Amino acid sequence: METAPEKTQRNRQVIFLIVAFLLSEARSESGRFSVAEEMESGSFVANVVKTLGVGVGELLARRARVLSEDKKQHLQLNSETGDLLIKEKLDREELCGSTEPCVLPFQILLENPLHFFRAELQVEDINDHSPTFLDMETFLKIPEGTTLGTTFPLTIAQDMDVGKNGLQNYTISPNSYLFLRTRTHSDGRKYPELVLEKALDREEQPELSLTLMAMDGGSPARSGTAQVRITVVDINDNTPVFSQSQYEVQIPENSPFGSLVVTVSARDLDAGIYGDITYTLFQATAKVSQTFRVDPISGDIRLKRAVDFEEIQTYDLYIEAIDGGGLSTKCNVLVHVTDLNDNPPELTVSSFTSNIPENSSETVVAVFSIRDPDSGDNGRMTCSIQEDLPFVLKQQFENVYILVTEETLDRENKAEYNITITVTDFGSPRLKTEHNITVIISDINDNPPIFNQTAYTLYLRENNSPALHIGSVSASDRDTGTNAKVTYSLLPLEDENLPLFSYISINSDNGNLYALRSLDYEAIQTFRFTVRATDGGSPALSSKALIRVVVQDENDNSPFMLYPLENGTTPCNDLVPRSAEPGYLVTKVVAIDGDSGQNSWLSYQLLKATDSGLFTVWAHNGEVHTARPISDRDSIKQKLLVLVKDNGQPPLSTAATLNVILVDGFSEPYIHLSDAPKEQAQTDSLTIYLVISLASVSFLFLVSIILFISVRIWRKKRDTLNSGYFGPHGPSSGHLVDVNGTGTLPQRYQYEVCLTRDLGTSEFKFLKPAIPSVQAQGYGKNLEENPSFQTSFGIN
Ligand SMILES: *[C@@H]1O[C@H](CO)[C@@H](O)[C@H](O)[C@H]1NC(C)=O
Ligand SMILES: *[C@@H]1O[C@H](CO)[C@@H](O)[C@H](O)[C@H]1NC(C)=O
Ligand SMILES: *[C@@H]1O[C@H](CO)[C@@H](O)[C@H](O)[C@H]1NC(C)=O
Ligand SMILES: *[C@@H]1O[C@H](CO)[C@@H](O)[C@H](O)[C@H]1NC(C)=O
Ligand SMILES: *[C@@H]1O[C@H](CO)[C@@H](O)[C@H](O)[C@H]1NC(C)=O
Ligand SMILES: *[C@@H]1O[C@H](CO)[C@@H](O)[C@H](O)[C@H]1NC(C)=O
């Protein structure tokens, strides 16, 4: 565009020079006019009359006219006035472009004579154009962090005007980062240049929109604007920043796999990949990397496995956040595992005595320690055993306890204790552990054998077979084992005269008692001895029981006739006066029976008589009475056979013969008999012998009575001290004869009867008791206790 006007201009100049050369022969003159561009058509430029030196009328006449050097006529000449006028609007920029000055050559031609007037029209510039930018918007990308002072040339603006009216200066809207410099190219064109004055920070100001203004120097000045849009290009100038430099979290132990622990988050101000953050574990220990997993994108830290407070209580993690540009930061995550009561207490028995002897003072049964790996209340424990046990727990040190006996133990009361030690912690829920121990109480020999009865009474029929089992004693011992093994033994009687060991033996193992030989009730009715039970302990303990053996009577003695004396050498004669009334007491048959009780109950009967109608025998007492009046026809000598029978099973009996002589008078023979004892004595040596023996027996009897009484007194004194060896005494029916009508007599009668048995006439006298009945009772006792006396009884 610039070349075209220049060419035409140059062409015009060339043409102008050629014309000027051709016309140089002719008369020519020159002039210069100037006019501002953009003047309206017809505007006055100059009056050429004077310049041409011709009169006004001459112009018209000489047909003055304006000749343009190019095709276009810019001026016209008013031939009448000589004014040179603008034919049409002149645009300097169109005519000359940027050439300055803009001169349009022209000629004024006059004819007659031909005359050329050469002139020039200079078109003056006016400021009729504003600077304009070719690009209304300029986009510029500047990386942040660009060095200060860096320049950025901008789009150029153009102003068609020239000179002062042309482009003069550029400005930019105020900002703190860049300023503008107006620079000039070598060809003189001015261009704007931005200079970085302050570092750009995309994170602070990612974009700038500036207005670039170009100004010319006209008056008034004109300006044009363009937009400069600057994008700050990101560089990775920001490291990621964690929202917290340290995270501290608590998680309960036993949290399940995958539980979220905490989410870390970091921010990177950079954009794009420079702002994309990836999280990783940093310098993780094996434990940490086994336990935690970090989501690289979200930053969630999750559990890879359950955590155990008892194993590790605090994890110290470092998390690294890396952006896409490789910048990284670390943060610290402290994970505190909180305790749950997930461990029951543990109990360790370090020493245990399962066997403790009874009756021992405070004994340590067990030493144990307790432990709970949990902490706080979850690890605080209490320890207990069942109540109502004779054991107590004592705390020895912290968490060390001993179990001791509280009192002396009695195995016989309880031989085995099952003790449950319960350890409970205080957590929630409370966990407990039980430990069972069994304590066995071992025996010591602290219990003597005890007989199941304090006294035994054994009954035995007389005439037993030897080695007869007569009964058993039994003693038990509350101890066990050999301490409870009971052996039995006999203790000798106090009265050593009785050869106990020849009577009785005991099986030492089972307490069976045996009668060694046949016993005779008539010889011994009862006796006592003591059995001792001894246990096998060391020292052995023993106890005693009293055994009373009662010999039971058997009907082994037939009644013994005292009157008439059995197997007497002389028969007994009884006299009965013929004048006797019926029921006259003739005599009394007297018999005794060595047995006792029913076996000694005697009954009498008349077995045979000379005249069976004359006498009767009273069954219960043996009295012989006349049954009817005696007549003269009855023979003087009557023979009666009387049978005495006892009440035993089977009954035994003895018969005796009575001779009854019926006499007419009564008193004479009686007096006669009482006056002549000497003649009788001389004739009957047996009578003398009897008297002597009776006297000696009576003496012995008296001595025995005295001895007995003194022994009684002495024993009574002793018994008050040693009460109970012998039971209460009373008349024993077994050895007392019945004097009240059974027909038997006390034994002491025997002597008197025998003394008089042959005298015949003393029929009433002997019925009188010779000894008071008080003594008879004492005599009964004596029989029981004094075997020597019984021996004397046996003589009879
Ligand atoms: C260009 O403009 C600036 C700021 O407006 C001014 O300081 C400077 O003098 C001007 N230059 C010219 C040549 O007018
Ligand atoms: C056992 O008990 C008895 C009586 O209760 C006592 O005499 C004895 O000394 C005790 N033995 C021990 C070893 O304590
Ligand atoms: C103790 O426990 C054992 C075994 O469980 C049992 O056989 C025994 O009878 C128990 N003893 C007591 C006194 O409870
Ligand atoms: C301990 O003994 C108690 C009562 O006999 C019983 O219930 C419990 O199961 C036992 N414990 C153990 C661990 O044997
Ligand atoms: C005592 O033991 C003996 C022998 O075993 C027995 O015969 C008797 O009946 C027992 N007595 C008691 C009161 O149990
Ligand atoms: C009496 O004699 C009879 C027959 O001779 C005889 O069996 C009996 O034993 C004798 N009695 C006494 C006590 O001697």
Side-chain angles (χ1 to χ4, degrees):
M1 280 183 78
E2 293 176 27
T3 50
E6 275 177 79
K7 215 179 207 169
T8 50
Q9 193 180 353
R10 203 177 298 130
N11 288 345
R12 266 184 250 152
Q13 284 174 335
V14 169
I15 293 164
F16 178 75
L17 285 175
I18 293 168
V19 170
F21 176 74
L22 288 175
L23 294 178
S24 58
E25 296 299 315
R27 188 173 148 222
S28 69
E29 284 170 84
S30 65
R32 174 172 285 231
F33 310 97
S34 82
V35 70
E37 62 173 330
E38 304 293 335
M39 297 291 280
E40 289 302 317
S41 148
S43 296
F44 172 80
V45 177
N47 195 299
V48 291
V49 173
K50 275 184 189 161
T51 312
L52 291 177
V54 292
V56 179
E58 201 178 344
L59 287 177
L60 193 54
R62 292 180 72 183
R63 293 185 52 206
R65 57 181 184 273
V66 174
L67 294 179
S68 178
E69 289 193 359
D70 53 3
K71 282 164 234 158
K72 199 157 182 187
Q73 284 292 359
H74 301 293
L75 297 168
Q76 63 185 12
L77 185 66
N78 190 330
S79 305
E80 292 171 4
T81 58
D83 289 346
L84 201 58
L85 303 174
I86 291 177
K87 192 177 179 193
E88 60 183 28
K89 241 185 209 177
L90 293 173
D91 184 5
R92 194 205 67 79
E93 284 74 29
E94 192 186 325
L95 295 171
C96 304
S98 58
T99 309
E100 180 71 8
C102 178
V103 176
L104 296 176
F106 66 95
Q107 290 159 28
I108 301 169
L109 177 65
L110 294 174
E111 291 177 12
N112 301 327
L114 188 63
H115 184 68
F116 286 95
F117 185 79
R118 296 169 66 194
E120 286 173 339
L121 178 67
Q122 183 171 349
V123 182
E124 304 282 344
D125 185 40
I126 66 165
N127 193 21
D128 59 344
H129 284 90
S130 298
T132 51
F133 286 95
L134 296 178
D135 300 318
M136 290 309 289
E137 249 185 345
T138 307
F139 295 93
L140 199 59
K141 287 189 174 179
I142 307 176
E144 56 180 334
T146 304
T147 353
L148 299 183
T150 309
T151 56
F152 303 94
L154 292 179
T155 181
I156 203 164
Q158 283 185 340
D159 193 329
M160 305 282 272
D161 297 323
V162 294
K164 242 184 109 227
N165 291 336
L167 180 68
Q168 294 300 319
N169 208 350
Y170 294 94
T171 58
I172 194 113
S173 54
N175 70 89
S176 51
Y177 297 100
L178 298 150
F179 68 91
L180 192 79
R181 265 200 313 233
T182 304
R183 307 281 307 264
T184 311
H185 277 298
S186 49
D187 62 358
R189 283 183 299 150
K190 292 185 170 153
Y191 66 92
E193 188 181 71
L194 279 174
V195 182
L196 190 61
E197 182 184 34
K198 183 182 161 202
L200 285 169
D201 187 0
R202 189 202 65 81
E203 288 73 33
E204 197 180 307
Q205 181 98 44
E207 274 181 358
L208 286 171
S209 183
L210 303 175
T211 305
L212 179 66
M213 185 186 281
M215 285 183 303
D216 61 21
S219 180
R222 301 177 76 122
S223 66
T225 58
Q227 289 299 309
V228 179
R229 303 206 186 278
I230 300 171
T231 307
V232 181
V233 178
D234 187 39
I235 61 165
N236 194 23
D237 59 343
N238 284 285
T239 51
V241 176
F242 277 99
S243 57
Q244 289 169 250
S245 65
Q246 192 180 49
Y247 294 82
E248 200 159 352
V249 288
Q250 296 197 327
I251 53 166
E253 63 175 329
N254 301 343
S255 293
F257 169 84
S259 304
L260 178 66
V261 179
V262 68
T263 302
V264 294
S265 89
R267 223 159 56 85
D268 193 311
L269 294 173
D270 296 326
I273 60 158
Y274 294 144
D276 288 346
I277 294 174
T278 313
Y279 301 94
T280 50
L281 280 172
F282 179 70
Q283 291 179 348
T285 60
K287 273 273 183 301
V288 166
S289 54
Q290 281 160 16
T291 311
F292 297 98
R293 178 165 58 80
V294 184
D295 188 301
I297 308 299
S298 66
D300 288 349
I301 301 178
R302 289 180 185 276
L303 287 183
K304 263 165 100 175
R305 57 162 196 167
V307 287
D308 185 6
F309 175 83
E310 286 68 41
E311 189 192 343
I312 296 178
Q313 288 155 21
T314 302
Y315 290 91
D316 197 356
L317 282 70
Y318 288 90
I319 307 292
E320 184 175 37
I322 309 182
D323 64 19
L327 293 179
S328 67
T329 350
K330 282 100 194 167
C331 80
N332 177 225
V333 179
L334 280 180
V335 180
H336 298 290
V337 181
T338 54
D339 189 34
L340 286 184
N341 196 21
D342 59 340
N343 287 286
E346 293 162 18
L347 186 149
T348 313
V349 176
S350 45
S351 137
F352 172 49
T353 316
S354 67
N355 216 313
I356 55 173
E358 64 175 326
N359 198 12
S360 52
S361 54
E362 190 179 85
T363 309
V364 175
V365 179
V367 180
F368 60 92
S369 57
I370 56 177
R371 201 174 82 85
D372 192 325
D374 295 322
S375 65
D377 272 354
N378 294 340
R380 215 148 58 74
M381 291 162 289
T382 175
C383 201
S384 66
I385 57 170
Q386 306 101 298
E387 281 165 12
D388 68 40
L389 287 184
F391 296 91
V392 285
L393 283 176
K394 288 187 180 167
Q395 187 167 21
Q396 203 70 0
F397 316 107
E398 178 169 13
N399 293 347
V400 176
Y401 286 81
I402 55 172
L403 178 69
V404 292
T405 57
E406 191 179 33
E407 56 198 37
T408 57
L409 300 171
D410 186 8
R411 190 204 63 82
E412 285 72 38
N413 191 20
K414 198 158 192 260
E416 186 188 75
Y417 291 91
N418 281 342
I419 304 171
T420 303
I421 303 172
T422 308
V423 188
T424 315
D425 64 23
F426 287 92
S428 169
R430 296 189 69 172
L431 297 176
K432 70 173 183 180
T433 298
E434 281 186 353
H435 186 87
N436 286 347
I437 55 177
T438 300
V439 176
I440 292 165
I441 313 300
S442 62
D443 189 41
I444 65 167
N445 192 24
D446 57 348
N447 284 284
I450 305 287
F451 281 97
N452 65 353
Q453 292 167 240
T454 49
Y456 297 80
T457 304
L458 305 178
Y459 295 94
L460 162 70
R461 298 196 80 79
E462 62 176 328
N463 303 329
N464 56 294
S465 56
L468 177 71
H469 175 230
I470 57 169
S472 301
V473 295
S474 162
S476 58
D477 192 307
R478 299 184 63 216
D479 297 320
T480 56
T482 54
N483 290 343
K485 172 99 180 88
V486 179
T487 54
Y488 301 91
S489 59
L490 294 179
L491 288 186
L493 278 180
E494 283 194 355
D495 185 346
E496 296 182 357
N497 289 337
L498 185 65
L500 176 68
F501 296 112
S502 63
Y503 285 162
I504 297 290
S505 81
I506 191 164
N507 184 322
S508 64
D509 292 333
N510 57 20
N512 284 352
L513 286 162
Y514 299 94
L516 286 183
R517 63 183 196 191
S518 181
L519 289 174
D520 183 11
Y521 172 84
E522 285 69 34
I524 181 163
Q525 281 90 45
T526 179
F527 57 94
R528 295 161 193 246
F529 57 91
T530 306
V531 171
R532 182 167 64 192
T534 310
D535 64 24
S538 173
L541 299 173
S542 65
S543 62
K544 295 173 186 172
L546 183 67
I547 317 288
R548 177 162 167 255
V549 177
V550 175
V551 182
Q552 287 179 320
D553 188 34
E554 273 196 343
N555 196 21
D556 60 341
N557 287 287
S558 45
F560 181 79
M561 281 294 182
L562 290 177
Y563 183 80
L565 187 63
E566 196 174 335
N567 295 359
T569 45
T570 50
C572 288
N573 295 316
D574 292 286
L575 305 178
V576 175
R578 283 183 177 275
S579 58
E581 295 290 309
Y584 176 82
L585 174 63
V586 178
T587 185
K588 183 173 174 156
V589 178
V590 177
I592 57 167
D593 194 301
D595 298 319
S596 69
Q598 286 207 347
N599 294 339
S600 64
W601 293 355
L602 301 181
S603 65
Y604 302 82
Q605 71 187 89
L606 188 58
L607 200 62
K608 224 162 108 187
T610 314
D611 182 350
S612 57
L614 187 54
F615 299 100
T616 59
V617 175
W618 289 14
H620 63 282
N621 60 6
E623 283 179 0
V624 180
H625 293 262
T626 55
R628 61 175 170 82
I630 300 165
S631 69
D632 294 342
R633 284 184 287 111
D634 295 323
S635 73
I636 192 162
K637 274 186 113 179
Q638 297 279 338
K639 201 167 186 165
L640 304 178
L641 185 60
V642 177
L643 184 74
V644 183
K645 194 165 75 177
D646 65 22
N647 201 28
Q649 278 298 335
L652 297 174
S653 61
T654 308
T657 306
L658 282 175
N659 293 316
V660 177
I661 299 164
L662 302 178
V663 295
D664 290 329
F666 179 70
S667 56
E668 190 191 339
Y670 177 76
I671 293 161
H672 168 72
L673 281 173
S674 59
D675 285 346
K678 285 173 188 148
E679 293 150 25
Q680 294 279 340
Q682 280 169 348
T683 55
D684 199 343
S685 58
L686 177 68
T687 306
I688 296 165
Y689 173 73
L690 279 173
V691 166
I692 293 167
S693 65
L694 179 62
S696 59
V697 165
S698 298
F699 174 72
L700 263 175
F701 175 68
L702 271 175
V703 167
S704 300
I705 292 290
I706 292 164
L707 251 175
F708 167 71
I709 289 170
S710 52
V711 163
R712 266 322 268 188
I713 290 167
W714 177 73
R715 277 205 184 157
K716 234 174 200 150
K717 273 186 190 161
R718 202 196 57 174
D719 284 355
T720 49
L721 300 171
N722 283 359
S723 58
Y725 181 73
F726 291 109
H729 296 288
S732 176
S733 62
H735 51 268
L736 272 185
V737 288
D738 183 9
V739 294
N740 297 328
T742 58
T744 52
L745 282 176
Q747 286 147 338
R748 66 193 62 93
Y749 285 133
Q750 178 180 350
Y751 307 112
E752 254 183 289
V753 167
C754 288
L755 181 67
T756 58
R757 65 178 181 178
D758 278 344
L759 299 184
T761 52
S762 56
E763 47 187 323
F764 295 113
K765 204 176 172 183
F766 62 85
L767 291 173
K768 201 169 61 180
I771 296 168
S773 62
V774 176
Q775 284 185 346
Q777 285 182 358
Y779 171 69
K781 287 178 199 169
N782 209 9
L783 275 178
E784 185 183 287
E785 295 166 13
N786 196 336
S788 64
F789 193 86
Q790 290 179 351
T791 311
S792 73
F793 171 78
I795 292 171
N796 298 298

